[in-house]
Amino acid sequence: MHYRQNWQGILSICRKAGKLAMGLEPTKDAMYRGTVSGVLVASDASAKTRKEAAFYCGQAQVPCLELAFTKADFAKMIGRGSGVLAICDDGFFRKMQLLAEQEKQEPRGEA
């Protein structure tokens, strides 16, 4: 699927550039340092994890995107499964917001 390739590409580049924090604790640490541009949450993250991610995003005033990807999808894309990913670069996160918006606008079968 084309949308999955786009996500895999941008997440892979983001990780290689050192601009990705994987997991809730590293995400919270990055938020305390003020380096987070936005947060991605997997669709199968626990309710507690989602609630905590939303809380910390609200505190740090950073956007939080809940995606249709699972932790296993993230593992395939970046080599490590995690329910929460923090993007620590404005440009990468803006691109991810565009991808998420495009994904909402086009049907899954045609992506």
Side-chain angles (χ1 to χ4, degrees), residues 10-89:
I10 193 80
L11 284 170
S12 178
I13 292 168
C14 188
R15 181 173 186 194
K16 289 175 184 174
K19 300 295 184 181
L20 184 67
M22 297 174 280
L24 186 59
E25 292 303 318
T27 295
K28 290 191 307 190
D29 292 343
M31 284 187 191
Y32 288 130
R33 290 190 307 270
T35 60
V36 177
S37 298
V39 173
L40 308 177
V41 179
S43 62
D44 62 345
S46 72
K48 181 182 179 208
T49 298
R50 287 182 201 184
K51 184 178 177 181
E52 282 189 60
F55 172 79
Y56 286 107
C57 285
Q59 292 293 102
Q61 298 181 340
V62 297
C64 183
L65 297 177
E66 288 195 28
L67 301 176
F69 296 117
T70 63
K71 291 183 272 188
D73 291 333
F74 284 149
K76 289 176 189 172
M77 288 185 223
I78 57 174
R80 180 171 169 216
S82 180
V84 178
L85 302 175
I87 311 305
C88 301
D89 181 89

